Amino acid sequence: MAHRRKIVIANWKMHGRITSGVQLATDLAQKAAAHKPEGYDVVVCPPYSLLWPVAEVLAGSHIKLGAQDCHTANHGAYTGDISAGMLVDIGCQYVILGHSERRNGHGETSQFVAEKVAAAQQAGLTAIVCVGEDRPTRESGGAVEFVTKQLKESLPSRYQTSSLIVAYEPVWAIGSGTTPAENEIQEMHGAIRKALGATGEVVQVIYGGSITPHTSAGIMALSQVDGTLVGGASLNADGFWAIADRCR
Ligand code: PEP
């Protein structure tokens, strides 16, 4: 069986001002210095306004930097957007793409997400591609079919498996305090690998949605789960580090 590296990714979403964001990053950098996350990766994705100050705090630490979105183009007349190259300039190595809050709140289609994946990889970023079904789809028994189709449509015709992470994030689990059963996560991650074809065994497939220090134990122990994308619980240094520590 392929050996896949584990990874824990913090999605701060639109949270944090300069003072609180720098404090959280400082707390995390101290934890990383004390606990040395070796053999697995810890990534923090702050809002754009915090990328630079957080990059300065994390410089030289074991924690890597990511962003929450990027545009498909390198530069141009795209008011309010940011390019993958600009994220690289500021020290990012990762970018979250196709999060359900972008798909549902900004009308992002899977085809658009696929273009972003191509742009991100072209710039040298690892693309964290989010996929997930809503509750009616899960309840009707169509989750696996929906997610595998959404994933295929969210990937460009050519992509680098070495800079791709797939995050299975059921929309109904995000911020709700509920998670799928462990066998449902295991089944979905297996289906995602199958949909990826020959490279499915080497791509990191992670779970996201209401992960807490408590729920992370069982989920992160699943053989198909290579880590987690953490929203709300990533805003607390102790809680987030307790989740990251599960990778040991
Ligand atoms: C997310 O939105 O990526 C997420 C995982 O959120 P939460 O952990 O808050 O459910």
Side-chain angles (χ1 to χ4, degrees):
M1 198 168 93
H3 174 75
R4 296 180 300 266
R5 202 172 159 87
K6 297 237 181 214
I7 187 164
V8 175
I9 303 168
N11 176 10
W12 288 4
K13 309 194 185 197
M14 197 174 73
H15 292 291
R17 305 292 289 271
I18 296 289
T19 307
S20 59
V22 166
Q23 184 60 57
L24 180 53
T26 304
D27 293 345
L28 292 174
Q30 278 168 1
K31 288 191 181 292
H35 301 276
K36 296 210 184 9
E38 278 159 10
Y40 62 97
D41 294 310
V42 179
V43 180
V44 170
C45 301
Y48 300 127
S49 58
L50 288 171
L51 284 174
W52 183 256
V54 168
E56 289 199 311
V57 172
L58 297 183
S61 81
H62 286 77
I63 305 177
K64 297 174 180 172
L65 190 67
Q68 299 173 20
D69 189 33
C70 72
H71 197 266
T72 57
N74 282 331
H75 57 266
Y78 302 105
T79 304
D81 281 307
I82 192 159
S83 77
M86 291 169 178
L87 298 177
V88 171
D89 280 350
I90 214 161
C92 290
Q93 293 175 261
Y94 296 82
V95 63
I96 298 170
L97 296 172
H99 192 283
S100 61
E101 286 154 15
R102 303 285 323 165
R103 292 179 188 266
N104 298 335
H106 296 265
E108 290 194 6
T109 63
S110 292
Q111 286 71 22
F112 193 41
V113 174
E115 287 177 43
K116 291 184 177 201
V117 173
Q121 292 194 333
Q122 177 74 25
L125 294 170
T126 292
I128 304 156
V129 180
C130 301
V131 288
E133 81 285 357
D134 60 16
R135 189 175 283 286
T137 307
R138 166 61 63 181
E139 284 172 358
S140 71
V144 167
E145 191 186 347
F146 176 89
V147 168
T148 51
K149 181 171 181 290
Q150 188 184 46
L151 175 62
K152 286 179 183 167
E153 290 173 351
S154 300
L155 295 175
S157 53
R158 290 168 65 107
Y159 59 89
Q160 299 154 26
T161 48
S162 56
S163 48
L164 173 71
I165 296 173
V166 177
Y168 169 50
E169 294 214 304
V171 180
W172 53 272
I174 293 175
S176 67
T178 51
T179 62
E182 289 174 6
N183 67 306
E184 292 171 327
I185 296 174
Q186 186 82 336
E187 179 198 28
M188 186 63 82
H189 282 221
I192 286 171
R193 294 191 196 286
K194 204 165 157 210
L196 290 170
T199 57
E201 280 301 313
V202 294
V203 172
Q204 287 169 304
V205 183
I206 64 175
Y207 169 80
S210 292
I211 279 279
T212 64
H214 177 67
T215 59
S216 63
I219 291 173
M220 287 183 60
L222 297 170
S223 61
Q224 293 284 4
V225 174
D226 302 320
T228 181
L229 180 54
V230 189
S234 72
L235 298 172
N236 175 279
D238 288 333
F240 180 66
W241 208 264
I243 297 168
D245 246 3
R246 305 263 184 222
C247 291
R248 280 181 195 283

PDB file of all heavy atoms in Angstrom, residues 17-35:
ATOM      1  N   ARG A  17      -8.061  39.554  12.988  1.00  0.00           N
ATOM      2  CA  ARG A  17      -7.519  40.874  12.671  1.00  0.00           C
ATOM      3  C   ARG A  17      -6.016  40.779  12.910  1.00  0.00           C
ATOM      4  O   ARG A  17      -5.516  39.734  13.322  1.00  0.00           O
ATOM      5  CB  ARG A  17      -8.190  41.929  13.562  1.00  0.00           C
ATOM      6  CG  ARG A  17      -9.724  41.911  13.457  1.00  0.00           C
ATOM      7  CD  ARG A  17     -10.196  42.375  12.094  1.00  0.00           C
ATOM      8  NE  ARG A  17      -9.991  43.789  11.939  1.00  0.00           N
ATOM      9  CZ  ARG A  17     -10.874  44.739  12.285  1.00  0.00           C
ATOM     10  NH1 ARG A  17     -12.045  44.394  12.783  1.00  0.00           N
ATOM     11  NH2 ARG A  17     -10.600  46.020  12.125  1.00  0.00           N
ATOM     12  N   ILE A  18      -5.312  41.861  12.661  1.00  0.00           N
ATOM     13  CA  ILE A  18      -3.856  41.780  12.768  1.00  0.00           C
ATOM     14  C   ILE A  18      -3.432  41.263  14.153  1.00  0.00           C
ATOM     15  O   ILE A  18      -2.660  40.304  14.263  1.00  0.00           O
ATOM     16  CB  ILE A  18      -3.196  43.145  12.486  1.00  0.00           C
ATOM     17  CG1 ILE A  18      -3.447  43.577  11.034  1.00  0.00           C
ATOM     18  CG2 ILE A  18      -1.691  43.093  12.784  1.00  0.00           C
ATOM     19  CD1 ILE A  18      -2.695  42.797   9.981  1.00  0.00           C
ATOM     20  N   THR A  19      -3.977  41.867  15.198  1.00  0.00           N
ATOM     21  CA  THR A  19      -3.525  41.488  16.550  1.00  0.00           C
ATOM     22  C   THR A  19      -3.858  40.033  16.870  1.00  0.00           C
ATOM     23  O   THR A  19      -2.990  39.258  17.282  1.00  0.00           O
ATOM     24  CB  THR A  19      -4.168  42.416  17.612  1.00  0.00           C
ATOM     25  OG1 THR A  19      -3.900  43.765  17.220  1.00  0.00           O
ATOM     26  CG2 THR A  19      -3.595  42.168  18.982  1.00  0.00           C
ATOM     27  N   SER A  20      -5.125  39.653  16.650  1.00  0.00           N
ATOM     28  CA  SER A  20      -5.505  38.283  17.028  1.00  0.00           C
ATOM     29  C   SER A  20      -4.874  37.248  16.094  1.00  0.00           C
ATOM     30  O   SER A  20      -4.478  36.159  16.531  1.00  0.00           O
ATOM     31  CB  SER A  20      -7.031  38.144  17.026  1.00  0.00           C
ATOM     32  OG  SER A  20      -7.570  38.439  15.746  1.00  0.00           O
ATOM     33  N   GLY A  21      -4.749  37.593  14.807  1.00  0.00           N
ATOM     34  CA  GLY A  21      -4.162  36.639  13.857  1.00  0.00           C
ATOM     35  C   GLY A  21      -2.692  36.399  14.131  1.00  0.00           C
ATOM     36  O   GLY A  21      -2.214  35.255  14.093  1.00  0.00           O
ATOM     37  N   VAL A  22      -1.970  37.472  14.421  1.00  0.00           N
ATOM     38  CA  VAL A  22      -0.541  37.322  14.729  1.00  0.00           C
ATOM     39  C   VAL A  22      -0.361  36.550  16.038  1.00  0.00           C
ATOM     40  O   VAL A  22       0.532  35.708  16.159  1.00  0.00           O
ATOM     41  CB  VAL A  22       0.147  38.708  14.773  1.00  0.00           C
ATOM     42  CG1 VAL A  22       1.520  38.631  15.423  1.00  0.00           C
ATOM     43  CG2 VAL A  22       0.265  39.274  13.354  1.00  0.00           C
ATOM     44  N   GLN A  23      -1.258  36.791  16.992  1.00  0.00           N
ATOM     45  CA  GLN A  23      -1.165  36.065  18.267  1.00  0.00           C
ATOM     46  C   GLN A  23      -1.388  34.564  18.056  1.00  0.00           C
ATOM     47  O   GLN A  23      -0.646  33.727  18.580  1.00  0.00           O
ATOM     48  CB  GLN A  23      -2.201  36.614  19.264  1.00  0.00           C
ATOM     49  CG  GLN A  23      -2.113  36.000  20.649  1.00  0.00           C
ATOM     50  CD  GLN A  23      -0.756  36.235  21.301  1.00  0.00           C
ATOM     51  OE1 GLN A  23      -0.332  37.373  21.443  1.00  0.00           O
ATOM     52  NE2 GLN A  23      -0.061  35.157  21.675  1.00  0.00           N
ATOM     53  N   LEU A  24      -2.412  34.240  17.258  1.00  0.00           N
ATOM     54  CA  LEU A  24      -2.694  32.814  16.993  1.00  0.00           C
ATOM     55  C   LEU A  24      -1.511  32.168  16.276  1.00  0.00           C
ATOM     56  O   LEU A  24      -1.082  31.054  16.627  1.00  0.00           O
ATOM     57  CB  LEU A  24      -3.982  32.701  16.148  1.00  0.00           C
ATOM     58  CG  LEU A  24      -4.453  31.308  15.755  1.00  0.00           C
ATOM     59  CD1 LEU A  24      -4.587  30.376  16.960  1.00  0.00           C
ATOM     60  CD2 LEU A  24      -5.812  31.395  15.023  1.00  0.00           C
ATOM     61  N   ALA A  25      -0.962  32.853  15.271  1.00  0.00           N
ATOM     62  CA  ALA A  25       0.191  32.298  14.544  1.00  0.00           C
ATOM     63  C   ALA A  25       1.384  32.141  15.480  1.00  0.00           C
ATOM     64  O   ALA A  25       2.124  31.140  15.404  1.00  0.00           O
ATOM     65  CB  ALA A  25       0.542  33.203  13.364  1.00  0.00           C
ATOM     66  N   THR A  26       1.575  33.104  16.388  1.00  0.00           N
ATOM     67  CA  THR A  26       2.697  33.030  17.341  1.00  0.00           C
ATOM     68  C   THR A  26       2.523  31.822  18.261  1.00  0.00           C
ATOM     69  O   THR A  26       3.468  31.066  18.513  1.00  0.00           O
ATOM     70  CB  THR A  26       2.762  34.334  18.179  1.00  0.00           C
ATOM     71  OG1 THR A  26       2.872  35.435  17.270  1.00  0.00           O
ATOM     72  CG2 THR A  26       3.937  34.336  19.136  1.00  0.00           C
ATOM     73  N   ASP A  27       1.295  31.623  18.733  1.00  0.00           N
ATOM     74  CA  ASP A  27       1.022  30.464  19.602  1.00  0.00           C
ATOM     75  C   ASP A  27       1.295  29.153  18.869  1.00  0.00           C
ATOM     76  O   ASP A  27       1.875  28.212  19.425  1.00  0.00           O
ATOM     77  CB  ASP A  27      -0.433  30.487  20.086  1.00  0.00           C
ATOM     78  CG  ASP A  27      -0.719  31.650  21.034  1.00  0.00           C
ATOM     79  OD1 ASP A  27       0.251  32.260  21.529  1.00  0.00           O
ATOM     80  OD2 ASP A  27      -1.910  31.963  21.244  1.00  0.00           O
ATOM     81  N   LEU A  28       0.896  29.108  17.594  1.00  0.00           N
ATOM     82  CA  LEU A  28       1.108  27.880  16.818  1.00  0.00           C
ATOM     83  C   LEU A  28       2.594  27.652  16.557  1.00  0.00           C
ATOM     84  O   LEU A  28       3.083  26.514  16.625  1.00  0.00           O
ATOM     85  CB  LEU A  28       0.339  27.949  15.490  1.00  0.00           C
ATOM     86  CG  LEU A  28      -1.188  27.911  15.622  1.00  0.00           C
ATOM     87  CD1 LEU A  28      -1.851  28.133  14.264  1.00  0.00           C
ATOM     88  CD2 LEU A  28      -1.653  26.583  16.218  1.00  0.00           C
ATOM     89  N   ALA A  29       3.306  28.729  16.258  1.00  0.00           N
ATOM     90  CA  ALA A  29       4.751  28.584  16.010  1.00  0.00           C
ATOM     91  C   ALA A  29       5.455  28.078  17.268  1.00  0.00           C
ATOM     92  O   ALA A  29       6.381  27.252  17.191  1.00  0.00           O
ATOM     93  CB  ALA A  29       5.340  29.924  15.559  1.00  0.00           C
ATOM     94  N   GLN A  30       4.985  28.526  18.435  1.00  0.00           N
ATOM     95  CA  GLN A  30       5.592  28.045  19.695  1.00  0.00           C
ATOM     96  C   GLN A  30       5.309  26.557  19.895  1.00  0.00           C
ATOM     97  O   GLN A  30       6.165  25.795  20.314  1.00  0.00           O
ATOM     98  CB  GLN A  30       5.040  28.842  20.878  1.00  0.00           C
ATOM     99  CG  GLN A  30       5.763  30.183  21.039  1.00  0.00           C
ATOM    100  CD  GLN A  30       5.066  31.120  22.015  1.00  0.00           C
ATOM    101  OE1 GLN A  30       4.036  30.772  22.606  1.00  0.00           O
ATOM    102  NE2 GLN A  30       5.622  32.313  22.177  1.00  0.00           N
ATOM    103  N   LYS A  31       4.087  26.149  19.555  1.00  0.00           N
ATOM    104  CA  LYS A  31       3.748  24.729  19.694  1.00  0.00           C
ATOM    105  C   LYS A  31       4.587  23.891  18.733  1.00  0.00           C
ATOM    106  O   LYS A  31       5.061  22.807  19.081  1.00  0.00           O
ATOM    107  CB  LYS A  31       2.253  24.516  19.441  1.00  0.00           C
ATOM    108  CG  LYS A  31       1.413  25.054  20.574  1.00  0.00           C
ATOM    109  CD  LYS A  31      -0.015  24.629  20.492  1.00  0.00           C
ATOM    110  CE  LYS A  31      -0.798  25.218  21.656  1.00  0.00           C
ATOM    111  NZ  LYS A  31      -0.407  24.659  22.957  1.00  0.00           N
ATOM    112  N   ALA A  32       4.758  24.411  17.520  1.00  0.00           N
ATOM    113  CA  ALA A  32       5.555  23.678  16.530  1.00  0.00           C
ATOM    114  C   ALA A  32       7.002  23.563  16.996  1.00  0.00           C
ATOM    115  O   ALA A  32       7.644  22.522  16.801  1.00  0.00           O
ATOM    116  CB  ALA A  32       5.486  24.381  15.175  1.00  0.00           C
ATOM    117  N   ALA A  33       7.524  24.604  17.635  1.00  0.00           N
ATOM    118  CA  ALA A  33       8.907  24.552  18.125  1.00  0.00           C
ATOM    119  C   ALA A  33       9.028  23.519  19.238  1.00  0.00           C
ATOM    120  O   ALA A  33      10.024  22.795  19.332  1.00  0.00           O
ATOM    121  CB  ALA A  33       9.327  25.928  18.626  1.00  0.00           C
ATOM    122  N   ALA A  34       7.980  23.414  20.058  1.00  0.00           N
ATOM    123  CA  ALA A  34       8.031  22.478  21.190  1.00  0.00           C
ATOM    124  C   ALA A  34       7.772  21.040  20.758  1.00  0.00           C
ATOM    125  O   ALA A  34       8.367  20.110  21.289  1.00  0.00           O
ATOM    126  CB  ALA A  34       7.005  22.897  22.249  1.00  0.00           C
ATOM    127  N   HIS A  35       6.880  20.869  19.773  1.00  0.00           N
ATOM    128  CA  HIS A  35       6.442  19.498  19.424  1.00  0.00           C
ATOM    129  C   HIS A  35       7.006  18.986  18.107  1.00  0.00           C
ATOM    130  O   HIS A  35       6.808  17.826  17.773  1.00  0.00           O
ATOM    131  CB  HIS A  35       4.910  19.431  19.372  1.00  0.00           C
ATOM    132  CG  HIS A  35       4.253  19.797  20.654  1.00  0.00           C
ATOM    133  ND1 HIS A  35       4.074  18.898  21.676  1.00  0.00           N
ATOM    134  CD2 HIS A  35       3.760  20.972  21.103  1.00  0.00           C
ATOM    135  CE1 HIS A  35       3.491  19.516  22.704  1.00  0.00           C
ATOM    136  NE2 HIS A  35       3.293  20.767  22.377  1.00  0.00           N
TER     137      HIS A  35
END
